[in-house]
Amino acid sequence: MYTQSFNVPDGSGKTVPLAPSNEDPALQAAFDVRIDADGRIEPQDWMPDAYRKTLVRQISQHAHSEIVGMLPEGNWISRAPSLKRKAILIAKVQDEGGHGLYLYSAAETLGTSRDQMLAGLHSGRAKYSSIFNYPTLTWADVGVIGWLVDGAAIMNQVPLCRCSYGPYARAMVRVCKEESFHQRQGYEALLVMMTGTEEQKAMVQDAVNRWWWKCLAMFGPPDADSPNSAQGMRWGIKRVSNDELRQKFVDATVPQAKVLGVTLPDPDLKWNEERGHHDYGQIDWNEFWETVNGNGPCNKERLATRVKAHDEGQWVRDAALAYAAKQQARSIKEAA
Ligand SMILES: [Fe+2]
Ligand SMILES: [Fe+2]
């Protein structure tokens, strides 16, 4: 699902150094040549420590976002209005779980264990996309999340298919195909609701009002306030800036809102002939940072649900390990 710029500082207090590494000048030079040629870095290749740390942070935050992102919509599986909508929603939520698993695997290739990453999430130290710390109040929220949240995630994630780190880039190719289905199912559900009763139309508009600004914030702080972005661009991890992605999202969404028949809740939203883009109003960054830092409406609930699910799944992991040990013992016996 999505990302904000999936790379906000975590609670460890550590910052990623911005200067290029001097760990090994010859290896660094070879790395730079490959990055400059737009080549891929693979797990077995030498890479500067800061590049590795940045990727672990970004990919694990992305993975956590996929997993926590299952929760707001998972709440609606048992209350979907029809069998068809329930089947679609189950498939979507399951896809998000799959995205999380690909991404944990991609991060593991950088030498960080899944247990370490999960410990970071469960302790509240690691971040995930702040969009999932808001409640899903009505069925229309499920449609709006698909349309806008998954739509914003696609904008963010398509450029990541060209990320310089091979395993992350390859994971993103499949993830983006699935995100496209998520966006379409959400938009289609809303189109149907907008042909319904006045109450249904009002429900869609209300959900759009509540989610619009939070979706714009998903792209992360303005470029001027994103000190790590330049290094991410230099390394070929980040290809398009936060503000550029946000602008692309606004420009793509305005005509979709028109077709749907909803109003985007921004009086300053208008076409700017000179720029060839839509202008839009001020994002509330205080609210964004409050939510990122644990004080959004659902942060505690999401984390508690996630930790509970992990604890209750312990027996599954124990059983899988016991089975693997049994199989290994059997093959050793057979080989003897
Ligand atoms: Fe998604
Ligand atoms: Fe996803």
Side-chain angles (χ1 to χ4, degrees):
M1 168 86 65
Y2 266 55
T3 97
Q4 59 206 12
S5 63
F6 278 126
N7 195 8
V8 295
D10 61 24
S12 68
K14 289 182 206 134
T15 50
V16 175
L18 288 176
S21 125
N22 284 321
E23 295 151 54
D24 186 323
L27 290 171
Q28 176 74 48
F31 173 88
D32 289 342
V33 166
R34 193 173 308 173
I35 292 285
D36 288 341
D38 232 357
R40 286 271 159 89
I41 307 298
E42 297 297 337
Q44 68 276 16
D45 296 334
W46 183 90
M47 61 189 87
D49 204 35
Y51 176 84
R52 186 185 299 275
K53 280 189 184 138
T54 297
L55 279 168
V56 167
R57 188 173 72 172
Q58 177 166 342
I59 302 172
S60 62
Q61 283 185 11
H62 192 164
H64 299 329
S65 305
E66 301 282 354
I67 298 293
V68 178
M70 298 168 78
L71 301 176
E73 289 179 291
N75 279 341
W76 281 93
I77 290 175
S78 61
R79 293 178 288 168
S82 68
L83 183 59
K84 177 181 146 186
R85 295 290 171 203
K86 188 193 284 261
I88 293 171
L89 187 56
I90 289 173
K92 178 189 191 285
V93 171
Q94 193 169 284
D95 280 354
E96 307 299 7
H99 297 172
L101 298 184
Y102 294 153
L103 289 162
Y104 284 129
S105 298
E108 280 178 315
T109 64
L110 291 155
T112 302
S113 75
R114 192 171 302 213
D115 283 346
Q116 277 173 287
M117 292 184 265
L118 288 178
L121 174 66
H122 296 160
S123 69
R125 190 165 28 86
K127 302 297 181 203
Y128 55 85
S129 185
S130 56
I131 194 83
F132 303 119
N133 289 315
Y134 295 96
T136 40
L137 302 181
T138 70
W139 172 252
D141 288 40
V142 172
V144 169
I145 287 177
W147 174 38
L148 296 180
V149 177
D150 290 273
I154 294 170
M155 281 293 170
N156 256 316
Q157 292 176 180
V158 166
L160 289 173
C161 298
R162 294 184 291 118
C163 164
S164 61
Y165 188 58
Y168 193 26
R170 288 188 290 273
M172 277 303 107
V173 174
R174 178 158 172 189
V175 166
C176 283
K177 286 183 187 160
E178 293 176 349
E179 294 302 353
S180 164
F181 150 63
H182 299 171
Q183 197 267 356
R184 278 152 187 258
Q185 66 80 35
Y187 192 64
E188 194 267 344
L190 296 177
L191 278 173
V192 171
M193 287 184 81
M194 290 302 286
T195 62
T197 62
E198 288 309 312
E199 283 86 350
Q200 282 175 302
K201 291 180 199 172
M203 207 188 270
V204 173
Q205 182 63 58
D206 173 62
V208 170
N209 293 348
R210 284 182 288 105
W211 289 95
W212 173 248
W213 287 102
K214 295 159 183 50
C215 289
L216 293 193
M218 275 176 77
F219 293 92
D223 296 344
D225 303 329
S226 305
N228 285 347
S229 280
Q231 184 63 71
M233 294 255 196
R234 170 69 191 90
W235 277 328
I237 296 173
K238 195 170 173 57
R239 299 286 183 176
V240 187
S241 81
N242 295 355
D243 285 333
E244 270 178 87
L245 287 169
R246 188 166 15 246
Q247 183 71 64
K248 274 177 82 160
F249 175 73
V250 172
D251 290 340
T253 308
V254 167
Q256 294 169 3
K258 204 169 279 172
V259 171
L260 198 55
V262 294
T263 307
L264 297 173
D266 178 0
D268 296 325
L269 185 66
K270 58 174 179 303
W271 178 251
N272 181 325
E273 194 64 53
E274 215 170 287
R275 291 200 309 121
H277 292 291
H278 293 86
D279 290 337
Y280 54 90
Q282 284 294 322
I283 296 167
D284 184 349
W285 291 110
N286 283 340
E287 188 203 327
F288 172 79
W289 286 115
E290 273 293 296
T291 310
V292 167
N293 290 323
N295 304 317
C298 300
N299 294 58
K300 288 183 183 64
E301 181 189 329
R302 297 286 184 247
L303 211 54
T305 308
R306 177 62 213 135
V307 170
K308 183 167 176 274
H310 185 74
D311 291 348
E312 288 177 357
Q314 185 63 48
W315 71 271
V316 179
R317 295 188 293 280
D318 290 345
L321 281 174
Y323 182 68
K326 219 192 250 177
Q327 267 194 322
Q328 199 184 14
R330 193 179 301 148
S331 61
I332 290 170
K333 209 168 150 194
E334 277 168 11

